[in-house]
Amino acid sequence: MTRGRLKPRRPLRNEVYSLAGVMALPLALLLAFPYCGIGYRSAADRPAPAPGCAYVTLTEEAERAAVEATRASWRMRSAGVRNLVTDLGVEAIPETVPGAVMEIGGRGRLPPAGTVESDLKPLPPTRAAPKAARLVQPKPAADPDAALAFPRRELLNID
């Protein structure tokens, strides 16, 4: 008995086609990936250049005095703040006595609702179709070919 070669069920070229189809998407992603972004390093911070001109030149003492004056203008006086804020723990809130806002005599009563009469019906008449009329079939003529545009006898004539 001779031993035969083993043959795959599908030819090898079909397997290569399937592999190429499956690997197309990863290959496209690999080719589209920006490799220059892998070794990216940000540029070193450069010192700010000195200004080319200045509106005012101050000494350090004058600059410190100007900053202090600016900070002082931002602060509020403590007496002004006390007037703005009410400390509820210091004084008791005065009780308001409940009372009438308006005198009872000053209020007018509304007149009682009356009835309104009208000739209009509350619902519109029906929109239904009228009752169907009985259809009457026309009586057949004595000569059946008389009513037709092309009589049957003429249509059956082959001549």
Side-chain angles (χ1 to χ4, degrees), residues 109-128:
R109 297 232 177 239
L110 294 175
T115 58
V116 177
E117 295 188 20
S118 174
D119 295 336
L120 298 174
K121 303 287 184 191
L123 296 174
T126 180
R127 297 285 181 189

Side-chain angles (χ1 to χ4, degrees), residues 19 23 41 71 74 92 98-99 111 138 142-143:
L19 183 64
M23 293 304 291
R41 290 187 184 162
R71 287 184 181 154
W74 291 344
D143 186 16

Side-chain angles (χ1 to χ4, degrees), residues 64-130:
R64 195 174 303 123
V67 169
E68 189 60 37
T70 306
R71 287 184 181 154
S73 69
W74 291 344
R75 292 187 196 126
M76 297 180 78
R77 293 185 183 93
S78 61
V81 173
R82 280 192 197 131
N83 292 338
L84 292 176
V85 178
T86 303
D87 191 3
L88 297 177
V90 175
E91 294 181 24
I93 298 174
E95 295 269 341
T96 56
V97 180
V101 176
M102 166 177 199
E103 290 182 20
I104 294 178
R107 292 186 291 179
R109 297 232 177 239
L110 294 175
T115 58
V116 177
E117 295 188 20
S118 174
D119 295 336
L120 298 174
K121 303 287 184 191
L123 296 174
T126 180
R127 297 285 181 189

